[in-house]
């Protein structure tokens, strides 16, 4: 995505706009499958919640990926995008038994992370195989907002509850066909991941009818200049070897599954905004853009740092800016950041805007959600229209007062 191509996109489709590059998504998918090419049966299930546009899902379908879903609506989107039910896994948390049953009726693989639900589901539908989500209590990364492995986490069935789990499986006579873990985003240390995997292998030995082991995700991608990223190649080499050994001991060739979101789409996306105004206060120069946390909430929600480039003036002298939005609430994108000189009307480019950006956007301040564009084979395709006033008002009901 060259600067000129991006500037042209803002001319053709307006701003703010999310832009995704199909080539980068494809390269990341291939990089991951290559890292695990020593495993006989590998299944990548793209985590829909990271970026759920139907054209992105169709791209993953053409790559041979499956999908990981967390709501029945994501399942419906996946089916509409052309995925077969058997290429979808449903990994919800805290949803009703009815929703799980409805998804199961569609032929989708169910992943249960709660003993009470497991017992109810197994009692009613003992012939439907289910996967169970285990919490190995291993912390991934340091940010507790995105770490779901701690002892009091709402995710997964604790490894300390395995005896009870086994009793439920025995009493209901249900079949467990998969074991799963997802310890949260941001794996910093491969050894920690491998350690958690050992706990999963140990748990897996309790079940005789497994078809797959799902290692979740949490692969880290670099956001800032000296951020570390998960060394996928090293993880691939070490985990594949261990997985193949396990299959030999287990006596069956199992499928190794992953469900990455961020790794596959984060770096493939940029967010383009226009500078409405430059405002100088006593100590700070603010660049105020035609967006806010209604369109990109990660910096305010997680303290995430998205690199910001001024693509209208890339060679300009660098100055310090706070880049903020137009929402009537603090919506800081970046504090005291070195960016080449910004003028009113310039286009700023936020990097790593593929994952958890558009999918978390809202209409706060009654603003329209942005357009989305996919660059595919050198052509920019509009894959979501910018909202209009009709979208803001369509579900509202005016009563006579
Ligand atoms: C969100 C989520 C993922 C994807 O996590 P990334 O950090 O985006 O790779 C995978 N599995 C489950 C169950 C999730 O909830």
């Amino acid at each position: 995505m060259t600067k000129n191509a991006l500037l042209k996109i803002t001319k053709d489709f307006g701003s703010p706009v999310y832009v995704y590059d199909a080539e980068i998504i494809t390269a990341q998918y291939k990089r991951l499958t290559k890292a695990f090419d020593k495993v006989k049966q590998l299944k990548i299930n793209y985590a829909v919640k990271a970026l759920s546009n139907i054209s992105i899902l169709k791209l993953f379908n053409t790559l041979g990926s499956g999908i990981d879903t967390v709501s029945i609506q994501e399942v419906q989107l996946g089916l509409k995008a052309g995925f077969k039910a058997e290429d979808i896994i449903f990994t919800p948390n805290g949803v009703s038994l009815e929703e799980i049953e409805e998804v199961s009726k569609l032929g989708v693989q169910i992943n249960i992370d709660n003993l009470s639900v497991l017992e109810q589901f197994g009692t009613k539908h003992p012939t439907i195989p289910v996967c169970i989500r285990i919490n190995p209590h291993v912390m991934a990364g340091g940010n507790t907002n995105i770490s779901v492995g701690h002892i009091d986490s709402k995710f997964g069935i604790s490894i300390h509850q395995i005896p009870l789990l086994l009793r439920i499986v025995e009493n209901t006579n249900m079949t467990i066909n998969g074991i799963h873990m997802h310890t949260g985003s941001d794996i910093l240390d491969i050894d920690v991941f491998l350690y958690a995997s050992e706990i999963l292998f140990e748990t897996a030995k309790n079940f005789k009818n497994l078809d797959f082991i799902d290692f979740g995700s949490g692969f880290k991608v670099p956001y800032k200049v000296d951020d570390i990223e998960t060394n996928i190649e090293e993880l691939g080499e070490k985990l594949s070897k261990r997985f193949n050994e396990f299959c030999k001991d287990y006596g069956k060739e199992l499928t190794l599954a992953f469900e990455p979101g961020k790794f596959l789409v984060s770096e493939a996306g940029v967010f383009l905004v226009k500078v409405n105004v430059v405002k100088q206060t006593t100590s700070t120069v603010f660049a105020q853009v035609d967006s806010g946390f209604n369109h990109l909430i990660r910096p305010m929600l997680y303290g995430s740092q998205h690199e910001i480039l001024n693509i209208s003036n890339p060679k300009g002298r660098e100055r310090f800016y706070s880049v903020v939005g137009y929402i009537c609430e603090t919506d800081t994108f970046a504090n005291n950041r070195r960016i080449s000189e910004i003028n009113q009307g310039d286009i700023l480019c936020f990097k790593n805007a593929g994952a958890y950006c558009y999918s978390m956007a809202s209409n706060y301040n009654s603003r329209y959600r942005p357009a989305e564009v996919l660059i595919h084979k050198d052509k920019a395709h509009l894959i979501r229209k910018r909202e209009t006033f009709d979208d803001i008002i369509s579900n509202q009901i005016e009563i006579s007062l």
Side-chain angles (χ1 to χ4, degrees), residues 130-183:
V130 305
C131 172
I132 43 173
R133 178 172 182 174
I134 299 298
N135 186 343
H137 302 304
V138 172
M139 302 281 284
N143 187 335
T144 47
N145 286 331
I146 46 179
S147 174
V148 294
H150 54 96
I151 195 85
D152 263 343
S153 166
K154 69 165 189 161
F155 297 98
I157 297 168
S158 166
I159 38 158
H160 305 303
Q161 293 176 304
I162 297 294
L164 182 51
L165 193 160
L166 291 174
R167 172 127 28 106
I168 291 170
V169 171
E170 199 184 341
N171 289 347
T172 56
N173 209 16
M174 67 194 302
T175 301
I176 302 300
N177 68 341
I179 298 260
H180 167 277
M181 72 167 182
H182 172 66
T183 52

Side-chain angles (χ1 to χ4, degrees), residues 379-393:
K379 193 173 177 306
H381 302 266
L382 185 66
I383 57 169
R384 189 190 304 258
K385 291 187 267 188
R386 183 179 313 288
E387 288 182 333
T388 64
F389 189 70
D390 285 343
D391 297 302
I392 302 288
I393 202 73

